[in-house]
Amino acid sequence: MIAAAGLCGGLALWGVGLGMRTAQVLLPGAWVLVPMAVLTGTELLRRTAPRTALIVATVALIADQFTTGSVATVLMYTDVMYAAVLYGTPASARRIPRTTVFVTVAMTVGFSAWLQTVESLLIGLATGLVAFGPAATGALVRNHRDAAEAARLRARQTALLAEMDRTQAVTAERSRMARELHDMVANHLSAIAIHSTAALSLDDERTSRDALGVIRENSVAGLAEMRRLIGLLREGDTEREPAAAPTLEALDTLVGQARTNGASSGLGFTLADRRGTAAARSAGAGGALPAPVELAAYRIVQESLTNALKHAVPGTVAVELGLTDHTLDVRVTSPFGDRPGPRAPGSGAGLVGMRERIALLDGVFEAGPVATTGGTDRVWVVRAELPVGASATAGEGDGTR
């Protein structure tokens, strides 16, 4: 369309006899149509081959100076110059404006020295309007276009990063929910599975009644834990009181519940809390332990007791806690071997969940069978070291229970 408009306009100007030079020229008459036709052809190449189009158009514009000249030819040349900067290579976009500045200055100085008239400055001005003006405009438009493209690219990258962050956050939250659900409910369901198996395998009325009592107690406790978890997950529930996270002060209750659940399996449970008394801990420089550390330690003990109920052979399960200036030590040992009688199936998620909890706090976690001092028996040891910082100080005394 640009080429057709330029050609039609040029033919119309030539038809009415309107040219740019009226003095004696080297190629008068219809010769003016040749550069015009060449410029029309270069307009067709302004986007596909801008560099070639500019070279051919420059030669045609120089040839046009030997004819009567046409405004249409000059205007089409300015468009080819503009397109060469806008659609050409980055190197051409940088080089062409500099070249046009040099040509404009050279034409101004050269014709001023040759003609030595004030009017000769108009030649430099015309050269700047025809060459430097379109090149500068093309560079300006190209810079704005590149800046807009860079902004769009940054916006897409930001949206992609935001989506990745959202996906990672959802995955992390789902993992956390899975750990909480497993730790809160697995203990009760394991006790239910063990005692229900015992009730079904032993034809004894008292044993069955005791098993049913334990099953009912763990069912009620499991439902309470489920309701608490659902309450935490429910969105927009502003009337519900926030549920407090379990702390290490509740380990007595947790171990006592494990004693009840493991009595039928020949398991005994002991708790040795060597962190010091509550009064001594409160008098320390930092007071209570950080809430994430207490929750992680509680869940580790809870999951270890659950695994002992499911897999340990008859014997004593020992829970030990110790506190230094920078570390909370948790150690749970249970008899390890081939267990007779009913067993609850394991999912393998317990150790994974404990390891993830410790990793989130940059702690150390170990779990596996260890030979005893005599070497005749083996125990399963779960050990965790949780960093608590310098603010958590150890108290005095031994709280063995």
Side-chain angles (χ1 to χ4, degrees), residues 29-54:
W31 283 102
V32 71
L33 299 179
V34 177
M36 184 187 306
V38 174
L39 262 298
T40 301
T42 58
E43 286 285 8
L44 302 177
L45 304 176
R46 63 191 298 273
R47 297 193 64 161
T48 57
R51 181 180 178 181
T52 302
L54 179 61

PDB file of all heavy atoms in Angstrom, residues 29-54:
ATOM      1  N   GLY A  29      12.756  15.436 -18.377  1.00  0.00           N
ATOM      2  CA  GLY A  29      11.627  14.683 -18.885  1.00  0.00           C
ATOM      3  C   GLY A  29      11.271  13.474 -18.033  1.00  0.00           C
ATOM      4  O   GLY A  29      11.268  13.499 -16.795  1.00  0.00           O
ATOM      5  N   ALA A  30      10.998  12.349 -18.702  1.00  0.00           N
ATOM      6  CA  ALA A  30      10.481  11.145 -18.035  1.00  0.00           C
ATOM      7  C   ALA A  30      11.553  10.392 -17.262  1.00  0.00           C
ATOM      8  O   ALA A  30      11.250   9.394 -16.591  1.00  0.00           O
ATOM      9  CB  ALA A  30       9.843  10.226 -19.073  1.00  0.00           C
ATOM     10  N   TRP A  31      12.812  10.840 -17.313  1.00  0.00           N
ATOM     11  CA  TRP A  31      13.845  10.156 -16.519  1.00  0.00           C
ATOM     12  C   TRP A  31      13.547  10.177 -15.016  1.00  0.00           C
ATOM     13  O   TRP A  31      14.023   9.324 -14.266  1.00  0.00           O
ATOM     14  CB  TRP A  31      15.216  10.809 -16.776  1.00  0.00           C
ATOM     15  CG  TRP A  31      15.804  10.398 -18.107  1.00  0.00           C
ATOM     16  CD1 TRP A  31      15.822  11.120 -19.269  1.00  0.00           C
ATOM     17  CD2 TRP A  31      16.445   9.165 -18.375  1.00  0.00           C
ATOM     18  NE1 TRP A  31      16.443  10.428 -20.280  1.00  0.00           N
ATOM     19  CE2 TRP A  31      16.840   9.199 -19.747  1.00  0.00           C
ATOM     20  CE3 TRP A  31      16.732   8.020 -17.636  1.00  0.00           C
ATOM     21  CZ2 TRP A  31      17.508   8.144 -20.358  1.00  0.00           C
ATOM     22  CZ3 TRP A  31      17.407   6.987 -18.253  1.00  0.00           C
ATOM     23  CH2 TRP A  31      17.774   7.033 -19.584  1.00  0.00           C
ATOM     24  N   VAL A  32      12.771  11.129 -14.590  1.00  0.00           N
ATOM     25  CA  VAL A  32      12.452  11.217 -13.161  1.00  0.00           C
ATOM     26  C   VAL A  32      11.665   9.998 -12.680  1.00  0.00           C
ATOM     27  O   VAL A  32      11.639   9.685 -11.476  1.00  0.00           O
ATOM     28  CB  VAL A  32      11.667  12.515 -12.893  1.00  0.00           C
ATOM     29  CG1 VAL A  32      10.245  12.425 -13.462  1.00  0.00           C
ATOM     30  CG2 VAL A  32      11.623  12.824 -11.404  1.00  0.00           C
ATOM     31  N   LEU A  33      11.022   9.306 -13.626  1.00  0.00           N
ATOM     32  CA  LEU A  33      10.211   8.139 -13.238  1.00  0.00           C
ATOM     33  C   LEU A  33      11.065   6.920 -12.892  1.00  0.00           C
ATOM     34  O   LEU A  33      10.594   6.000 -12.217  1.00  0.00           O
ATOM     35  CB  LEU A  33       9.243   7.780 -14.366  1.00  0.00           C
ATOM     36  CG  LEU A  33       8.223   8.870 -14.739  1.00  0.00           C
ATOM     37  CD1 LEU A  33       7.336   8.392 -15.890  1.00  0.00           C
ATOM     38  CD2 LEU A  33       7.378   9.243 -13.534  1.00  0.00           C
ATOM     39  N   VAL A  34      12.313   6.885 -13.368  1.00  0.00           N
ATOM     40  CA  VAL A  34      13.163   5.714 -13.103  1.00  0.00           C
ATOM     41  C   VAL A  34      13.527   5.601 -11.614  1.00  0.00           C
ATOM     42  O   VAL A  34      13.314   4.542 -10.994  1.00  0.00           O
ATOM     43  CB  VAL A  34      14.421   5.758 -13.986  1.00  0.00           C
ATOM     44  CG1 VAL A  34      15.345   4.584 -13.651  1.00  0.00           C
ATOM     45  CG2 VAL A  34      14.037   5.730 -15.461  1.00  0.00           C
ATOM     46  N   PRO A  35      14.086   6.661 -11.007  1.00  0.00           N
ATOM     47  CA  PRO A  35      14.332   6.549  -9.559  1.00  0.00           C
ATOM     48  C   PRO A  35      13.044   6.319  -8.768  1.00  0.00           C
ATOM     49  O   PRO A  35      13.056   5.596  -7.756  1.00  0.00           O
ATOM     50  CB  PRO A  35      14.974   7.892  -9.206  1.00  0.00           C
ATOM     51  CG  PRO A  35      15.527   8.405 -10.488  1.00  0.00           C
ATOM     52  CD  PRO A  35      14.581   7.937 -11.545  1.00  0.00           C
ATOM     53  N   MET A  36      11.961   6.910  -9.237  1.00  0.00           N
ATOM     54  CA  MET A  36      10.685   6.724  -8.541  1.00  0.00           C
ATOM     55  C   MET A  36      10.261   5.254  -8.585  1.00  0.00           C
ATOM     56  O   MET A  36       9.820   4.691  -7.565  1.00  0.00           O
ATOM     57  CB  MET A  36       9.602   7.599  -9.191  1.00  0.00           C
ATOM     58  CG  MET A  36       8.256   7.554  -8.478  1.00  0.00           C
ATOM     59  SD  MET A  36       6.994   8.436  -9.419  1.00  0.00           S
ATOM     60  CE  MET A  36       7.762  10.031  -9.635  1.00  0.00           C
ATOM     61  N   ALA A  37      10.427   4.605  -9.716  1.00  0.00           N
ATOM     62  CA  ALA A  37      10.056   3.195  -9.833  1.00  0.00           C
ATOM     63  C   ALA A  37      10.966   2.328  -8.958  1.00  0.00           C
ATOM     64  O   ALA A  37      10.516   1.351  -8.327  1.00  0.00           O
ATOM     65  CB  ALA A  37      10.134   2.752 -11.284  1.00  0.00           C
ATOM     66  N   VAL A  38      12.253   2.681  -8.919  1.00  0.00           N
ATOM     67  CA  VAL A  38      13.175   1.906  -8.080  1.00  0.00           C
ATOM     68  C   VAL A  38      12.795   2.046  -6.603  1.00  0.00           C
ATOM     69  O   VAL A  38      12.777   1.052  -5.849  1.00  0.00           O
ATOM     70  CB  VAL A  38      14.624   2.354  -8.323  1.00  0.00           C
ATOM     71  CG1 VAL A  38      15.564   1.657  -7.345  1.00  0.00           C
ATOM     72  CG2 VAL A  38      15.033   2.075  -9.757  1.00  0.00           C
ATOM     73  N   LEU A  39      12.499   3.277  -6.156  1.00  0.00           N
ATOM     74  CA  LEU A  39      12.067   3.484  -4.766  1.00  0.00           C
ATOM     75  C   LEU A  39      10.776   2.733  -4.478  1.00  0.00           C
ATOM     76  O   LEU A  39      10.580   2.209  -3.368  1.00  0.00           O
ATOM     77  CB  LEU A  39      11.892   4.977  -4.498  1.00  0.00           C
ATOM     78  CG  LEU A  39      13.046   5.710  -3.809  1.00  0.00           C
ATOM     79  CD1 LEU A  39      13.280   5.136  -2.418  1.00  0.00           C
ATOM     80  CD2 LEU A  39      14.308   5.657  -4.635  1.00  0.00           C
ATOM     81  N   THR A  40       9.901   2.660  -5.461  1.00  0.00           N
ATOM     82  CA  THR A  40       8.660   1.896  -5.262  1.00  0.00           C
ATOM     83  C   THR A  40       8.965   0.423  -5.030  1.00  0.00           C
ATOM     84  O   THR A  40       8.354  -0.237  -4.175  1.00  0.00           O
ATOM     85  CB  THR A  40       7.751   2.056  -6.497  1.00  0.00           C
ATOM     86  OG1 THR A  40       7.460   3.436  -6.697  1.00  0.00           O
ATOM     87  CG2 THR A  40       6.450   1.293  -6.300  1.00  0.00           C
ATOM     88  N   GLY A  41       9.942  -0.112  -5.766  1.00  0.00           N
ATOM     89  CA  GLY A  41      10.320  -1.504  -5.552  1.00  0.00           C
ATOM     90  C   GLY A  41      10.972  -1.734  -4.197  1.00  0.00           C
ATOM     91  O   GLY A  41      10.753  -2.776  -3.558  1.00  0.00           O
ATOM     92  N   THR A  42      11.787  -0.767  -3.740  1.00  0.00           N
ATOM     93  CA  THR A  42      12.428  -0.952  -2.425  1.00  0.00           C
ATOM     94  C   THR A  42      11.415  -0.913  -1.287  1.00  0.00           C
ATOM     95  O   THR A  42      11.663  -1.500  -0.225  1.00  0.00           O
ATOM     96  CB  THR A  42      13.491   0.132  -2.206  1.00  0.00           C
ATOM     97  OG1 THR A  42      12.870   1.437  -2.291  1.00  0.00           O
ATOM     98  CG2 THR A  42      14.599   0.029  -3.253  1.00  0.00           C
ATOM     99  N   GLU A  43      10.303  -0.222  -1.505  1.00  0.00           N
ATOM    100  CA  GLU A  43       9.262  -0.217  -0.463  1.00  0.00           C
ATOM    101  C   GLU A  43       8.723  -1.619  -0.209  1.00  0.00           C
ATOM    102  O   GLU A  43       8.314  -1.944   0.904  1.00  0.00           O
ATOM    103  CB  GLU A  43       8.108   0.706  -0.878  1.00  0.00           C
ATOM    104  CG  GLU A  43       8.406   2.184  -0.786  1.00  0.00           C
ATOM    105  CD  GLU A  43       8.412   2.688   0.648  1.00  0.00           C
ATOM    106  OE1 GLU A  43       8.334   1.864   1.591  1.00  0.00           O
ATOM    107  OE2 GLU A  43       8.503   3.910   0.841  1.00  0.00           O
ATOM    108  N   LEU A  44       8.749  -2.476  -1.239  1.00  0.00           N
ATOM    109  CA  LEU A  44       8.274  -3.848  -1.076  1.00  0.00           C
ATOM    110  C   LEU A  44       9.238  -4.696  -0.238  1.00  0.00           C
ATOM    111  O   LEU A  44       8.861  -5.763   0.229  1.00  0.00           O
ATOM    112  CB  LEU A  44       8.070  -4.488  -2.448  1.00  0.00           C
ATOM    113  CG  LEU A  44       7.096  -3.768  -3.385  1.00  0.00           C
ATOM    114  CD1 LEU A  44       7.033  -4.475  -4.741  1.00  0.00           C
ATOM    115  CD2 LEU A  44       5.711  -3.697  -2.766  1.00  0.00           C
ATOM    116  N   LEU A  45      10.485  -4.193  -0.095  1.00  0.00           N
ATOM    117  CA  LEU A  45      11.506  -4.936   0.655  1.00  0.00           C
ATOM    118  C   LEU A  45      11.803  -4.298   2.017  1.00  0.00           C
ATOM    119  O   LEU A  45      12.774  -4.678   2.667  1.00  0.00           O
ATOM    120  CB  LEU A  45      12.809  -5.020  -0.160  1.00  0.00           C
ATOM    121  CG  LEU A  45      12.706  -5.629  -1.559  1.00  0.00           C
ATOM    122  CD1 LEU A  45      14.061  -5.547  -2.272  1.00  0.00           C
ATOM    123  CD2 LEU A  45      12.249  -7.071  -1.477  1.00  0.00           C
ATOM    124  N   ARG A  46      11.013  -3.331   2.432  1.00  0.00           N
ATOM    125  CA  ARG A  46      11.344  -2.538   3.621  1.00  0.00           C
ATOM    126  C   ARG A  46      11.383  -3.371   4.905  1.00  0.00           C
ATOM    127  O   ARG A  46      12.078  -3.008   5.852  1.00  0.00           O
ATOM    128  CB  ARG A  46      10.339  -1.397   3.776  1.00  0.00           C
ATOM    129  CG  ARG A  46       8.917  -1.859   4.016  1.00  0.00           C
ATOM    130  CD  ARG A  46       7.922  -0.701   3.901  1.00  0.00           C
ATOM    131  NE  ARG A  46       8.117   0.352   4.863  1.00  0.00           N
ATOM    132  CZ  ARG A  46       7.584   0.379   6.094  1.00  0.00           C
ATOM    133  NH1 ARG A  46       6.828  -0.639   6.489  1.00  0.00           N
ATOM    134  NH2 ARG A  46       7.819   1.373   6.906  1.00  0.00           N
ATOM    135  N   ARG A  47      10.674  -4.525   4.943  1.00  0.00           N
ATOM    136  CA  ARG A  47      10.668  -5.361   6.143  1.00  0.00           C
ATOM    137  C   ARG A  47      11.434  -6.662   5.949  1.00  0.00           C
ATOM    138  O   ARG A  47      12.085  -7.137   6.871  1.00  0.00           O
ATOM    139  CB  ARG A  47       9.223  -5.683   6.567  1.00  0.00           C
ATOM    140  CG  ARG A  47       8.413  -4.467   6.959  1.00  0.00           C
ATOM    141  CD  ARG A  47       7.145  -4.821   7.660  1.00  0.00           C
ATOM    142  NE  ARG A  47       7.375  -5.493   8.936  1.00  0.00           N
ATOM    143  CZ  ARG A  47       6.478  -5.600   9.906  1.00  0.00           C
ATOM    144  NH1 ARG A  47       5.280  -5.063   9.739  1.00  0.00           N
ATOM    145  NH2 ARG A  47       6.758  -6.222  11.024  1.00  0.00           N
ATOM    146  N   THR A  48      11.345  -7.235   4.756  1.00  0.00           N
ATOM    147  CA  THR A  48      12.010  -8.522   4.534  1.00  0.00           C
ATOM    148  C   THR A  48      13.511  -8.368   4.308  1.00  0.00           C
ATOM    149  O   THR A  48      14.296  -9.224   4.726  1.00  0.00           O
ATOM    150  CB  THR A  48      11.380  -9.234   3.333  1.00  0.00           C
ATOM    151  OG1 THR A  48      11.462  -8.370   2.178  1.00  0.00           O
ATOM    152  CG2 THR A  48       9.917  -9.560   3.606  1.00  0.00           C
ATOM    153  N   ALA A  49      13.948  -7.289   3.622  1.00  0.00           N
ATOM    154  CA  ALA A  49      15.371  -7.052   3.355  1.00  0.00           C
ATOM    155  C   ALA A  49      15.660  -5.564   3.510  1.00  0.00           C
ATOM    156  O   ALA A  49      15.945  -4.855   2.526  1.00  0.00           O
ATOM    157  CB  ALA A  49      15.753  -7.541   1.954  1.00  0.00           C
ATOM    158  N   PRO A  50      15.591  -5.047   4.713  1.00  0.00           N
ATOM    159  CA  PRO A  50      15.728  -3.596   4.898  1.00  0.00           C
ATOM    160  C   PRO A  50      17.098  -3.062   4.506  1.00  0.00           C
ATOM    161  O   PRO A  50      17.213  -1.939   3.990  1.00  0.00           O
ATOM    162  CB  PRO A  50      15.451  -3.410   6.397  1.00  0.00           C
ATOM    163  CG  PRO A  50      15.731  -4.738   7.021  1.00  0.00           C
ATOM    164  CD  PRO A  50      15.353  -5.748   5.997  1.00  0.00           C
ATOM    165  N   ARG A  51      18.164  -3.812   4.739  1.00  0.00           N
ATOM    166  CA  ARG A  51      19.497  -3.317   4.403  1.00  0.00           C
ATOM    167  C   ARG A  51      19.665  -3.191   2.891  1.00  0.00           C
ATOM    168  O   ARG A  51      20.153  -2.152   2.385  1.00  0.00           O
ATOM    169  CB  ARG A  51      20.544  -4.273   4.980  1.00  0.00           C
ATOM    170  CG  ARG A  51      21.969  -3.827   4.703  1.00  0.00           C
ATOM    171  CD  ARG A  51      22.949  -4.817   5.314  1.00  0.00           C
ATOM    172  NE  ARG A  51      24.322  -4.440   5.022  1.00  0.00           N
ATOM    173  CZ  ARG A  51      25.376  -5.124   5.400  1.00  0.00           C
ATOM    174  NH1 ARG A  51      25.217  -6.259   6.089  1.00  0.00           N
ATOM    175  NH2 ARG A  51      26.597  -4.718   5.101  1.00  0.00           N
ATOM    176  N   THR A  52      19.259  -4.227   2.158  1.00  0.00           N
ATOM    177  CA  THR A  52      19.342  -4.163   0.687  1.00  0.00           C
ATOM    178  C   THR A  52      18.477  -3.047   0.139  1.00  0.00           C
ATOM    179  O   THR A  52      18.877  -2.314  -0.787  1.00  0.00           O
ATOM    180  CB  THR A  52      18.902  -5.514   0.093  1.00  0.00           C
ATOM    181  OG1 THR A  52      19.729  -6.552   0.614  1.00  0.00           O
ATOM    182  CG2 THR A  52      18.998  -5.491  -1.417  1.00  0.00           C
ATOM    183  N   ALA A  53      17.288  -2.892   0.692  1.00  0.00           N
ATOM    184  CA  ALA A  53      16.383  -1.837   0.232  1.00  0.00           C
ATOM    185  C   ALA A  53      17.001  -0.462   0.440  1.00  0.00           C
ATOM    186  O   ALA A  53      16.889   0.416  -0.433  1.00  0.00           O
ATOM    187  CB  ALA A  53      15.056  -1.947   0.974  1.00  0.00           C
ATOM    188  N   LEU A  54      17.698  -0.253   1.584  1.00  0.00           N
ATOM    189  CA  LEU A  54      18.297   1.056   1.836  1.00  0.00           C
ATOM    190  C   LEU A  54      19.440   1.347   0.878  1.00  0.00           C
ATOM    191  O   LEU A  54      19.582   2.481   0.385  1.00  0.00           O
ATOM    192  CB  LEU A  54      18.789   1.105   3.286  1.00  0.00           C
ATOM    193  CG  LEU A  54      19.470   2.407   3.711  1.00  0.00           C
ATOM    194  CD1 LEU A  54      18.491   3.576   3.588  1.00  0.00           C
ATOM    195  CD2 LEU A  54      20.008   2.301   5.134  1.00  0.00           C
TER     196      LEU A  54
END
